[in-house]
Amino acid sequence: MENMIKEHVRDIPDFPKPGIVFKDITPLLKDAEVLRKIVEAFAERYRAMKPHAIVGIESRGFLFGVPLAQALGIGFVPARKQGKLPYKTIGISYDLEYGQATIEMHVDAVNKGERVVVIDDLLATGGTAGAACALVQKCGGSVVECAFVVELGFLHGRDQLKRTPVYSLANYV
Amino acid sequence: MENMIKEHVRDIPDFPKPGIVFKDITPLLKDAEVLRKIVEAFAERYRAMKPHAIVGIESRGFLFGVPLAQALGIGFVPARKQGKLPYKTIGISYDLEYGQATIEMHVDAVNKGERVVVIDDLLATGGTAGAACALVQKCGGSVVECAFVVELGFLHGRDQLKRTPVYSLANYV
Protein backbone atom coordinates (compact mmCIF):
# COMPACT_ATOMS: atom_id res chain seq x y z
CA MET A 1 0.00 0.00 0.00
CA GLU A 2 2.73 2.47 1.02
CA ASN A 3 4.77 1.79 -2.12
CA MET A 4 1.71 2.01 -4.34
CA ILE A 5 0.81 5.39 -2.89
CA LYS A 6 4.35 6.76 -3.12
CA GLU A 7 4.57 5.63 -6.74
CA HIS A 8 1.43 7.65 -7.52
CA VAL A 9 2.22 10.79 -5.52
CA ARG A 10 3.99 13.44 -7.56
CA ASP A 11 6.61 15.72 -5.98
CA ILE A 12 6.19 19.37 -6.99
CA PRO A 13 9.23 21.44 -5.97
CA ASP A 14 8.72 25.02 -4.80
CA PHE A 15 4.91 24.86 -4.45
CA PRO A 16 3.16 26.79 -3.03
CA LYS A 17 6.40 28.66 -2.28
CA PRO A 18 10.17 28.28 -2.73
CA GLY A 19 11.74 25.50 -0.63
CA ILE A 20 8.54 23.49 -0.17
CA VAL A 21 8.16 20.15 -1.99
CA PHE A 22 4.43 19.67 -2.42
CA LYS A 23 2.95 16.17 -2.54
CA ASP A 24 0.49 16.11 -5.45
CA ILE A 25 -2.13 13.45 -4.75
CA THR A 26 -4.19 13.97 -7.94
CA PRO A 27 -2.62 10.89 -9.66
CA LEU A 28 -4.16 8.75 -6.89
CA LEU A 29 -7.58 9.95 -8.01
CA LYS A 30 -6.96 9.43 -11.71
CA ASP A 31 -6.45 5.67 -11.18
CA ALA A 32 -9.74 4.13 -10.04
CA GLU A 33 -8.09 0.94 -8.81
CA VAL A 34 -5.52 2.78 -6.69
CA LEU A 35 -8.22 4.95 -5.12
CA ARG A 36 -10.39 1.88 -4.49
CA LYS A 37 -7.53 0.19 -2.63
CA ILE A 38 -6.91 3.30 -0.51
CA VAL A 39 -10.58 3.58 0.43
CA GLU A 40 -10.77 -0.15 1.19
CA ALA A 41 -7.66 0.03 3.41
CA PHE A 42 -9.28 2.75 5.50
CA ALA A 43 -12.65 0.96 5.48
CA GLU A 44 -11.10 -2.29 6.72
CA ARG A 45 -9.47 -0.44 9.59
CA TYR A 46 -12.53 1.54 10.65
CA ARG A 47 -15.28 -1.02 10.09
CA ALA A 48 -14.66 -2.60 13.51
CA MET A 49 -14.39 0.77 15.28
CA LYS A 50 -17.93 1.64 14.16
CA PRO A 51 -17.62 5.43 13.90
CA HIS A 52 -20.86 7.41 13.50
CA ALA A 53 -19.52 9.66 10.74
CA ILE A 54 -16.47 10.67 8.71
CA VAL A 55 -15.40 14.31 9.06
CA GLY A 56 -13.48 15.43 5.97
CA ILE A 57 -11.30 18.53 5.95
CA GLU A 58 -11.75 20.94 3.03
CA SER A 59 -11.07 20.31 0.30
CA ARG A 60 -8.81 17.33 -0.35
CA GLY A 61 -10.21 15.53 2.68
CA PHE A 62 -13.51 15.46 0.76
CA LEU A 63 -11.89 13.37 -1.98
CA PHE A 64 -11.10 10.45 0.31
CA GLY A 65 -13.66 11.01 3.06
CA VAL A 66 -16.81 10.68 0.98
CA PRO A 67 -15.96 7.29 -0.58
CA LEU A 68 -14.81 6.08 2.86
CA ALA A 69 -18.10 7.14 4.44
CA GLN A 70 -19.97 5.36 1.64
CA ALA A 71 -17.88 2.21 2.07
CA LEU A 72 -18.77 2.20 5.79
CA GLY A 73 -22.41 3.12 5.21
CA ILE A 74 -22.17 6.20 7.44
CA GLY A 75 -22.61 9.93 6.95
CA PHE A 76 -20.04 12.44 5.76
CA VAL A 77 -19.51 15.82 7.46
CA PRO A 78 -17.49 18.59 5.80
CA ALA A 79 -15.18 20.75 7.94
CA ARG A 80 -14.64 23.94 5.97
CA LYS A 81 -12.79 27.22 5.97
CA GLN A 82 -14.51 30.16 7.59
CA GLY A 83 -17.57 31.52 5.79
CA LYS A 84 -18.09 28.59 3.42
CA LEU A 85 -20.79 26.67 5.31
CA PRO A 86 -24.22 28.25 4.91
CA TYR A 87 -26.07 27.11 8.04
CA LYS A 88 -25.25 27.96 11.70
CA THR A 89 -21.65 27.02 12.39
CA ILE A 90 -19.28 26.39 15.24
CA GLY A 91 -15.62 27.28 14.67
CA ILE A 92 -12.09 26.95 16.01
CA SER A 93 -9.25 29.33 15.21
CA TYR A 94 -5.68 28.08 15.03
CA ASP A 95 -2.25 29.52 14.33
CA LEU A 96 -0.59 29.33 10.94
CA GLU A 97 3.03 30.17 10.18
CA TYR A 98 1.85 33.73 9.64
CA GLY A 99 -1.49 34.73 11.13
CA GLN A 100 -4.52 32.62 11.92
CA ALA A 101 -7.12 30.47 10.23
CA THR A 102 -10.56 29.27 11.31
CA ILE A 103 -12.19 25.94 10.54
CA GLU A 104 -15.96 25.45 10.86
CA MET A 105 -18.62 22.75 10.95
CA HIS A 106 -22.39 23.06 11.00
CA VAL A 107 -23.69 23.07 14.58
CA ASP A 108 -25.81 19.97 13.89
CA ALA A 109 -23.11 18.06 12.00
CA VAL A 110 -21.70 16.06 14.92
CA ASN A 111 -23.92 15.32 17.90
CA LYS A 112 -23.04 14.82 21.53
CA GLY A 113 -21.56 11.38 22.15
CA GLU A 114 -20.86 10.64 18.49
CA ARG A 115 -17.54 9.07 17.54
CA VAL A 116 -16.00 10.17 14.26
CA VAL A 117 -12.94 9.65 12.10
CA VAL A 118 -11.34 12.89 10.89
CA ILE A 119 -9.72 12.53 7.47
CA ASP A 120 -7.47 14.63 5.26
CA ASP A 121 -5.22 13.81 2.35
CA LEU A 122 -1.99 14.76 4.07
CA LEU A 123 -0.61 15.33 7.58
CA ALA A 124 1.99 18.10 7.63
CA THR A 125 2.40 20.12 10.84
CA GLY A 126 -1.01 19.03 12.11
CA GLY A 127 -2.44 22.49 12.70
CA THR A 128 -5.60 22.05 10.67
CA ALA A 129 -6.23 18.47 11.77
CA GLY A 130 -5.74 19.45 15.41
CA ALA A 131 -8.29 22.23 15.01
CA ALA A 132 -10.75 19.84 13.34
CA CYS A 133 -10.40 17.43 16.29
CA ALA A 134 -10.93 20.25 18.78
CA LEU A 135 -14.02 21.26 16.82
CA VAL A 136 -15.49 17.76 17.04
CA GLN A 137 -14.89 17.81 20.80
CA LYS A 138 -16.47 21.27 21.07
CA CYS A 139 -19.63 19.67 19.58
CA GLY A 140 -19.55 16.98 22.27
CA GLY A 141 -18.22 14.30 19.94
CA SER A 142 -14.98 12.35 20.08
CA VAL A 143 -12.37 11.51 17.46
CA VAL A 144 -11.68 7.79 17.11
CA GLU A 145 -8.68 8.50 14.94
CA CYS A 146 -7.21 11.00 12.48
CA ALA A 147 -6.64 9.36 9.11
CA PHE A 148 -4.33 10.54 6.34
CA VAL A 149 -3.34 9.08 3.00
CA VAL A 150 0.11 10.66 3.25
CA GLU A 151 2.07 11.72 6.34
CA LEU A 152 5.10 14.00 6.25
CA GLY A 153 6.66 12.33 9.30
CA PHE A 154 9.64 14.69 9.26
CA LEU A 155 7.32 17.57 10.20
CA HIS A 156 6.19 15.77 13.38
CA GLY A 157 2.50 16.56 12.96
CA ARG A 158 1.70 13.64 15.28
CA ASP A 159 3.09 15.65 18.18
CA GLN A 160 0.47 18.33 17.50
CA LEU A 161 -2.22 15.63 17.63
CA LYS A 162 -0.88 13.84 20.67
CA ARG A 163 -4.24 13.26 22.34
CA THR A 164 -5.67 11.67 19.22
CA PRO A 165 -4.56 8.44 17.51
CA VAL A 166 -3.09 9.06 14.06
CA TYR A 167 -3.08 6.63 11.14
CA SER A 168 -1.53 7.14 7.73
CA LEU A 169 -1.13 4.85 4.75
CA ALA A 170 2.21 6.26 3.54
CA ASN A 171 4.79 8.06 5.62
CA TYR A 172 7.71 10.20 4.47
CA VAL A 173 9.89 9.99 7.60
CA MET B 1 -35.40 10.84 -6.37
CA GLU B 2 -36.34 14.51 -6.86
CA ASN B 3 -38.57 14.54 -3.78
CA MET B 4 -35.97 12.74 -1.69
CA ILE B 5 -33.33 15.30 -2.64
CA LYS B 6 -35.61 18.29 -2.04
CA GLU B 7 -36.57 16.90 1.38
CA HIS B 8 -32.88 16.79 2.32
CA VAL B 9 -31.80 20.14 0.86
CA ARG B 10 -31.95 22.96 3.37
CA ASP B 11 -32.88 26.51 2.31
CA ILE B 12 -30.62 29.16 3.86
CA PRO B 13 -32.04 32.66 3.33
CA ASP B 14 -29.65 35.55 2.69
CA PHE B 15 -26.52 33.45 2.15
CA PRO B 16 -23.93 34.33 0.99
CA LYS B 17 -25.63 37.72 0.67
CA PRO B 18 -29.04 39.33 1.22
CA GLY B 19 -31.74 38.20 -1.20
CA ILE B 20 -30.08 34.89 -2.14
CA VAL B 21 -31.65 31.65 -0.87
CA PHE B 22 -28.76 29.19 -0.69
CA LYS B 23 -29.38 25.46 -1.19
CA ASP B 24 -27.46 23.65 1.57
CA ILE B 25 -26.63 20.15 0.33
CA THR B 26 -24.77 18.98 3.47
CA PRO B 27 -27.81 17.01 4.76
CA LEU B 28 -27.54 14.84 1.61
CA LEU B 29 -24.06 13.81 2.75
CA LYS B 30 -25.02 13.13 6.34
CA ASP B 31 -27.43 10.37 5.26
CA ALA B 32 -25.42 7.51 3.76
CA GLU B 33 -28.46 5.94 2.10
CA VAL B 34 -29.53 9.18 0.42
CA LEU B 35 -26.04 9.79 -0.91
CA ARG B 36 -25.82 6.18 -2.11
CA LYS B 37 -29.06 6.59 -4.08
CA ILE B 38 -27.82 9.83 -5.66
CA VAL B 39 -24.54 8.25 -6.71
CA GLU B 40 -26.32 5.18 -8.05
CA ALA B 41 -28.76 7.32 -10.06
CA PHE B 42 -25.84 9.05 -11.78
CA ALA B 43 -23.94 5.77 -12.20
CA GLU B 44 -26.93 4.08 -13.85
CA ARG B 45 -27.19 6.93 -16.33
CA TYR B 46 -23.50 7.12 -17.20
CA ARG B 47 -22.55 3.43 -17.18
CA ALA B 48 -23.79 2.99 -20.76
CA MET B 49 -22.13 6.21 -21.97
CA LYS B 50 -18.73 4.87 -20.89
CA PRO B 51 -16.98 8.15 -20.04
CA HIS B 52 -13.20 8.00 -19.46
CA ALA B 53 -13.27 10.15 -16.33
CA ILE B 54 -15.39 12.31 -14.04
CA VAL B 55 -14.36 15.96 -13.76
CA GLY B 56 -15.51 17.43 -10.45
CA ILE B 57 -15.71 21.17 -9.86
CA GLU B 58 -14.16 22.48 -6.61
CA SER B 59 -15.17 21.88 -3.99
CA ARG B 60 -18.73 20.51 -3.71
CA GLY B 61 -18.35 18.75 -7.05
CA PHE B 62 -15.71 16.61 -5.31
CA LEU B 63 -18.31 15.32 -2.86
CA PHE B 64 -20.44 13.67 -5.55
CA GLY B 65 -17.84 13.21 -8.28
CA VAL B 66 -15.44 10.92 -6.42
CA PRO B 67 -18.03 8.31 -5.38
CA LEU B 68 -19.51 8.45 -8.90
CA ALA B 69 -16.09 7.82 -10.45
CA GLN B 70 -15.58 4.91 -8.04
CA ALA B 71 -19.01 3.48 -8.87
CA LEU B 72 -18.11 3.58 -12.58
CA GLY B 73 -14.56 2.29 -12.02
CA ILE B 74 -13.03 5.34 -13.73
CA GLY B 75 -10.69 8.13 -12.69
CA PHE B 76 -11.57 11.42 -11.01
CA VAL B 77 -10.16 14.76 -12.14
CA PRO B 78 -10.46 17.89 -9.97
CA ALA B 79 -11.15 21.25 -11.64
CA ARG B 80 -9.99 23.89 -9.17
CA LYS B 81 -9.81 27.60 -8.58
CA GLN B 82 -6.71 29.38 -9.79
CA GLY B 83 -3.48 28.60 -7.93
CA LYS B 84 -4.70 25.51 -6.09
CA LEU B 85 -3.37 22.75 -8.37
CA PRO B 86 0.35 22.19 -7.87
CA TYR B 87 1.44 20.75 -11.25
CA LYS B 88 1.37 22.46 -14.67
CA THR B 89 -2.14 23.71 -15.34
CA ILE B 90 -4.36 24.89 -18.15
CA GLY B 91 -6.99 27.49 -17.27
CA ILE B 92 -10.08 29.31 -18.50
CA SER B 93 -11.25 32.69 -17.19
CA TYR B 94 -14.92 33.52 -17.06
CA ASP B 95 -17.09 36.44 -15.98
CA LEU B 96 -18.78 36.65 -12.61
CA GLU B 97 -21.42 39.14 -11.56
CA TYR B 98 -18.55 41.38 -10.47
CA GLY B 99 -15.11 40.67 -11.93
CA GLN B 100 -13.63 37.43 -13.21
CA ALA B 101 -12.66 33.99 -11.99
CA THR B 102 -10.35 31.32 -13.42
CA ILE B 103 -10.78 27.56 -13.27
CA GLU B 104 -7.85 25.20 -13.82
CA MET B 105 -7.03 21.56 -14.46
CA HIS B 106 -3.69 19.81 -14.63
CA VAL B 107 -2.42 19.70 -18.21
CA ASP B 108 -2.33 15.87 -18.12
CA ALA B 109 -5.70 15.43 -16.41
CA VAL B 110 -7.82 14.96 -19.54
CA ASN B 111 -6.20 13.63 -22.70
CA LYS B 112 -7.04 14.25 -26.34
CA GLY B 113 -10.09 12.25 -27.41
CA GLU B 114 -11.25 11.47 -23.88
CA ARG B 115 -14.93 11.78 -23.05
CA VAL B 116 -15.80 13.00 -19.57
CA VAL B 117 -18.77 13.87 -17.37
CA VAL B 118 -18.44 17.24 -15.61
CA ILE B 119 -20.16 17.25 -12.22
CA ASP B 120 -21.04 19.85 -9.60
CA ASP B 121 -23.51 19.91 -6.76
CA LEU B 122 -25.65 22.69 -8.18
CA LEU B 123 -26.37 24.45 -11.47
CA ALA B 124 -27.08 28.15 -10.98
CA THR B 125 -26.19 30.56 -13.81
CA GLY B 126 -23.84 28.02 -15.38
CA GLY B 127 -20.75 30.24 -15.50
CA THR B 128 -18.41 27.87 -13.69
CA ALA B 129 -19.73 24.72 -15.36
CA GLY B 130 -19.46 26.37 -18.78
CA ALA B 131 -15.85 27.26 -18.07
CA ALA B 132 -15.12 23.70 -16.91
CA CYS B 133 -16.57 22.35 -20.18
CA ALA B 134 -14.49 24.80 -22.22
CA LEU B 135 -11.44 23.68 -20.26
CA VAL B 136 -12.05 20.01 -21.10
CA GLN B 137 -12.37 20.97 -24.77
CA LYS B 138 -9.16 23.04 -24.58
CA CYS B 139 -7.42 19.79 -23.47
CA GLY B 140 -8.80 18.02 -26.55
CA GLY B 141 -11.47 16.14 -24.62
CA SER B 142 -15.23 16.28 -24.92
CA VAL B 143 -18.01 16.56 -22.35
CA VAL B 144 -20.58 13.78 -22.57
CA GLU B 145 -22.86 15.63 -20.17
CA CYS B 146 -22.86 18.10 -17.28
CA ALA B 147 -24.38 16.52 -14.18
CA PHE B 148 -25.83 18.29 -11.16
CA VAL B 149 -27.60 17.09 -8.05
CA VAL B 150 -29.67 20.28 -7.91
CA GLU B 151 -30.61 22.68 -10.70
CA LEU B 152 -31.96 26.18 -10.11
CA GLY B 153 -34.02 26.10 -13.30
CA PHE B 154 -35.30 29.64 -12.76
CA LEU B 155 -31.74 30.95 -13.34
CA HIS B 156 -31.60 29.35 -16.81
CA GLY B 157 -28.07 27.94 -16.43
CA ARG B 158 -28.85 25.47 -19.23
CA ASP B 159 -28.81 28.34 -21.71
CA GLN B 160 -25.22 29.08 -20.75
CA LEU B 161 -24.35 25.42 -21.41
CA LYS B 162 -26.32 25.14 -24.64
CA ARG B 163 -23.70 23.12 -26.54
CA THR B 164 -23.48 20.52 -23.76
CA PRO B 165 -26.23 18.17 -22.52
CA VAL B 166 -27.31 18.93 -18.96
CA TYR B 167 -28.73 16.46 -16.46
CA SER B 168 -29.93 17.18 -12.93
CA LEU B 169 -31.64 15.02 -10.34
CA ALA B 170 -33.76 17.78 -8.76
CA ASN B 171 -34.89 20.99 -10.45
CA TYR B 172 -36.27 24.14 -8.84
CA VAL B 173 -38.09 25.60 -11.86
Side-chain angles (χ1 to χ4, degrees):
Chain A
M1 175 59 64
E2 181 154 27
N3 285 345
M4 182 195 75
I5 291 173
K6 288 185 176 179
E7 281 162 17
H8 286 81
V9 165
R10 184 159 51 182
D11 279 359
I12 313 286
D14 301 317
F15 185 88
K17 53 187 180 179
I20 307 271
V21 179
F22 190 88
K23 298 292 180 192
D24 176 19
I25 55 85
T26 61
L28 299 172
L29 307 167
K30 193 70 197 293
D31 188 318
E33 189 56 19
V34 168
L35 181 56
R36 194 191 63 73
K37 285 178 182 164
I38 289 170
V39 171
E40 187 46 35
F42 283 131
E44 250 178 50
R45 181 171 178 86
Y46 296 120
R47 212 164 267 131
M49 298 188 193
K50 298 192 186 303
H52 294 91
I54 302 295
V55 174
I57 298 176
E58 179 177 7
S59 63
R60 285 188 298 268
F62 296 179
L63 299 164
F64 302 96
V66 175
L68 173 58
Q70 282 285 287
L72 295 173
I74 60 179
F76 176 82
V77 170
R80 301 203 62 177
K81 295 177 185 94
Q82 193 169 29
K84 295 287 193 76
L85 287 167
Y87 186 60
K88 282 173 240 147
T89 58
I90 182 166
I92 290 265
S93 296
Y94 60 104
D95 292 325
L96 296 175
E97 198 182 350
Y98 302 100
Q100 275 207 327
T102 298
I103 188 166
E104 297 181 337
M105 291 194 316
H106 279 153
V107 291
D108 59 352
V110 173
N111 298 313
K112 207 169 169 170
E114 285 188 337
R115 301 158 61 255
V116 307
V117 171
V118 170
I119 192 167
D120 206 351
D121 66 325
L122 183 138
L123 174 60
T125 61
T128 308
C133 291
L135 193 48
V136 168
Q137 286 151 8
K138 201 169 169 178
C139 293
S142 61
V143 178
V144 176
E145 193 158 79
C146 274
F148 304 94
V149 181
V150 172
E151 177 177 0
L152 303 184
F154 60 88
L155 292 176
H156 307 293
R158 280 175 187 256
D159 300 346
Q160 180 80 17
L161 295 165
K162 50 181 173 272
R163 287 172 303 183
T164 307
V166 170
Y167 179 70
S168 65
L169 296 177
N171 196 352
Y172 293 84
V173 289
Chain B
M1 174 61 62
E2 180 154 28
N3 285 345
M4 182 195 75
I5 291 173
K6 288 184 176 179
E7 280 162 18
H8 285 83
V9 165
R10 183 159 53 182
D11 279 359
I12 313 285
D14 300 319
F15 184 90
K17 53 187 183 183
I20 306 272
V21 180
F22 190 89
K23 298 292 180 192
D24 175 18
I25 56 84
T26 62
L28 298 173
L29 307 167
K30 192 72 197 294
D31 189 319
E33 189 55 20
V34 169
L35 181 55
R36 194 191 63 73
K37 285 178 181 162
I38 289 170
V39 171
E40 187 45 36
F42 283 133
E44 250 178 51
R45 181 170 178 86
Y46 296 121
R47 213 164 266 132
M49 298 187 193
K50 298 192 187 302
H52 295 89
I54 302 296
V55 173
I57 297 175
E58 179 176 8
S59 63
R60 286 188 297 270
F62 297 179
L63 300 163
F64 302 96
V66 175
L68 173 57
Q70 283 284 288
L72 295 173
I74 60 178
F76 176 81
V77 169
R80 301 203 63 176
K81 294 176 185 96
Q82 194 168 31
K84 295 286 193 77
L85 287 167
Y87 186 61
K88 280 173 242 148
T89 58
I90 183 167
I92 290 266
S93 295
Y94 59 102
D95 292 326
L96 296 175
E97 198 180 349
Y98 301 101
Q100 275 207 328
T102 299
I103 189 166
E104 297 180 336
M105 292 194 316
H106 279 153
V107 291
D108 59 352
V110 173
N111 299 312
K112 206 168 170 171
E114 284 188 339
R115 300 159 60 255
V116 306
V117 171
V118 170
I119 191 166
D120 206 350
D121 65 325
L122 184 139
L123 174 61
T125 60
T128 308
C133 292
L135 194 48
V136 167
Q137 286 151 7
K138 202 170 167 177
C139 293
S142 62
V143 179
V144 175
E145 193 157 80
C146 273
F148 305 92
V149 181
V150 173
E151 177 176 359
L152 303 184
F154 60 88
L155 292 177
H156 307 294
R158 281 175 185 255
D159 301 345
Q160 179 79 18
L161 294 165
K162 49 180 173 271
R163 285 172 304 182
T164 307
V166 170
Y167 179 69
S168 65
L169 296 177
N171 196 353
Y172 295 83
V173 289

